[in-house]
Amino acid sequence: MRVSSQGVTVVALLADPDAPTEIAQRMARILSTRLADKSGQGRRFDVEVVSEPFTAGTEDPPTLMRRIMDRGRAENWDIVVALTDLPLHSHGRKLVMDVSHEHGLALLSLPPLGGLRLQTRARRAVEEAVLGLAGPRATGAEGPPRNEPLLGPFVSRLAPVHPGPVGEEETADLRYVVSGPRGYVRVLVGMVRANRPWRLVPGLSKALAAALATGAVATVNSTIWGLAEYLSVPRLVIAMVGSVGLMVGWLIIDAQLWHRSTEVSPEARQRARLYNASTVMTVGIGVLVCYGGLIVINLVWALFIINGQVFASVTRTPLHAAEYLTLSWFVASVATVGGALGSGLESDEAIRAAAYSKREQERRHMLQDDHGD
């Protein structure tokens, strides 16, 4: 690691576009002060954020580390920490961070940090990495022993993170990974968060238009009134689950979101299962958000349009709050089925753009090109 002649350690946060850049920019506002306070001895840090797609075309950690090293050599940076929202794998394990004390580099994969308090967890991981790289053991002539766990606080805060194996020819000399069921769940939740499932709502404009139109018509249909009135709560739940499942399945099949691996290795199959699970959860959360919105819209429409006397004459039941809620709930299920049919009008690219982060879209494009070749 280089040491600035002015006594200021220049730290570059090299971030993939989209979510990693946003996280790095928010982190950079306070990172200099926090690093100076933690390092002591009057040391100063200058933090820069550089947004560029350094993971384009590959998700191989050794290749990415070499790219980061080459990028850092071209600039006046003392330490480079790269952030990506792609899930990375190494030796069958899910990678959290690669660190090279010799070159002053670190590569952080955000999905293994989970979906909750991501900003805080990412900042703590970057702080520990920078302080470890800027410490005296990082600047010694011999460097740290390979695989020596220097970032103890990083591990304890982010369990089930633990040191992982590093190949002798790799740029990294320290690696952190996650494993086991808890690690799998954290990576999965992190991948779903990176995809930002709430973006699916505005991204499916034609499907939403079809759902709203279906709901508006169903709300004033006397047959729907009668069905809603005599449906029990378990049947309403079954209707909800069925309509949401139909919408999710249709979107995944129609837009070809299901990942099929051409490799037969257990690691490739495990990655495929992880990607497909994140797809189902991403689309499922997005559809559930749409479903909740339909309930609210249908309720407002019902309050405005339905006449209590007409409703009572058809169903022989007074129109009270429970009837409004039951009707809105059932109509939301009917409207979701209409939305599933309307989603066929959306282009596959529009659905992928709404369902995936920018890095995930590029990764899937790359895989499709490889399969085509």
Side-chain angles (χ1 to χ4, degrees):
M1 186 197 77
R2 296 170 299 184
V3 180
S4 173
S5 58
Q6 289 81 18
V8 178
T9 302
V10 180
V11 179
L13 301 181
L14 181 64
D16 265 335
D18 205 12
T21 295
E22 295 175 10
I23 291 173
Q25 289 173 341
R26 287 195 295 267
M27 184 189 308
R29 298 169 189 167
I30 60 173
L31 190 59
S32 298
T33 303
R34 292 182 61 89
L35 289 172
D37 292 342
K38 288 190 173 186
S39 63
Q41 301 176 349
R43 193 162 191 171
R44 293 185 296 159
F45 293 83
D46 182 15
V47 179
E48 303 176 8
V49 177
V50 179
S51 178
E52 58 183 56
F54 70 93
T55 59
T58 184
E59 48 187 310
D60 177 53
T63 301
L64 294 177
M65 287 294 283
R66 288 193 294 270
R67 284 185 180 181
I68 299 166
M69 181 174 62
D70 293 340
R71 185 69 176 86
R73 286 173 176 172
E75 304 288 344
N76 189 30
W77 299 332
D78 300 317
I79 295 174
V80 184
V81 180
L83 293 83
T84 181
D85 57 0
L86 277 183
L88 303 177
H89 299 78
S90 177
H91 301 284
R93 296 173 174 85
K94 300 164 186 67
L95 176 71
V96 181
M97 178 179 282
D98 264 358
V99 182
S100 172
H101 295 84
E102 178 183 357
H103 303 286
L105 310 174
L107 169 63
L108 175 64
S109 177
L110 296 174
L113 301 183
L116 300 177
R117 301 175 64 245
L118 178 59
Q119 183 70 43
T120 300
R121 288 174 172 174
R123 191 200 69 231
R124 287 176 175 173
V126 171
E127 287 176 1
E128 297 295 342
V130 172
L131 292 174
L133 292 171
R137 281 192 288 185
T139 59
E142 299 180 356
R146 299 184 71 83
N147 297 334
E148 182 184 348
L150 299 181
L151 305 181
F154 173 72
V155 176
S156 62
R157 287 179 183 139
L158 300 176
V161 179
H162 55 84
V166 183
E168 291 295 331
E169 302 301 323
E170 294 189 45
T171 304
D173 49 44
L174 182 61
R175 171 169 293 153
Y176 288 94
V177 298
V178 292
S179 58
R182 287 181 61 199
Y184 181 90
V185 171
R186 285 189 88 145
V187 174
L188 180 59
V189 173
M191 292 173 66
V192 173
R193 189 192 188 284
N195 288 334
R196 300 178 179 181
W198 52 89
R199 298 189 307 184
L200 195 66
V201 178
L204 297 176
S205 57
K206 294 182 178 65
L208 285 175
L212 291 172
T214 304
V217 173
T219 301
V220 297
N221 187 294
S222 59
T223 303
I224 297 294
W225 296 354
L227 288 173
E229 185 60 30
Y230 290 100
L231 283 176
S232 62
V233 172
R235 288 180 178 271
L236 288 170
V237 172
I238 291 173
M240 178 184 70
V241 173
S243 62
V244 170
L246 177 64
M247 180 75 158
V248 171
W250 179 260
L251 287 173
I252 291 175
I253 294 172
D254 186 57
Q256 299 179 359
L257 303 181
W258 198 255
H259 174 72
R260 293 180 176 85
S261 177
T262 57
E263 302 179 35
V264 296
S265 65
E267 184 176 343
R269 291 197 297 267
Q270 183 184 32
R271 283 202 301 266
R273 288 194 295 268
L274 185 65
Y275 288 131
N276 289 329
S278 70
T279 296
V280 172
M281 288 184 63
T282 298
V283 178
I285 292 173
V287 172
L288 284 174
V289 171
C290 293
Y291 189 93
L294 288 172
I295 291 179
V296 174
I297 293 172
N298 292 331
L299 178 59
V300 172
W301 175 239
L303 289 170
F304 176 75
I305 202 70
I306 296 179
N307 181 276
Q309 293 181 344
V310 176
F311 184 90
S313 67
V314 172
T315 64
R316 299 180 181 179
T317 303
L319 184 58
H320 299 307
E323 283 68 35
Y324 277 117
L325 291 173
T326 300
L327 177 62
S328 302
W329 187 2
F330 180 57
V331 169
S333 298
V334 176
T336 300
V337 175
L341 298 176
S343 66
L345 302 175
E346 304 278 3
S347 69
D348 293 350
E349 288 301 320
I351 296 176
R352 293 190 189 103
Y356 293 131
S357 67
K358 188 171 183 179
R359 296 297 97 200
E360 180 66 4
Q361 291 178 57
E362 292 181 354
R363 188 194 69 81
R364 289 177 179 262
H365 281 308
M366 181 184 68
L367 288 176
Q368 288 179 354
D369 293 342
D370 290 343
H371 294 167
D373 294 338

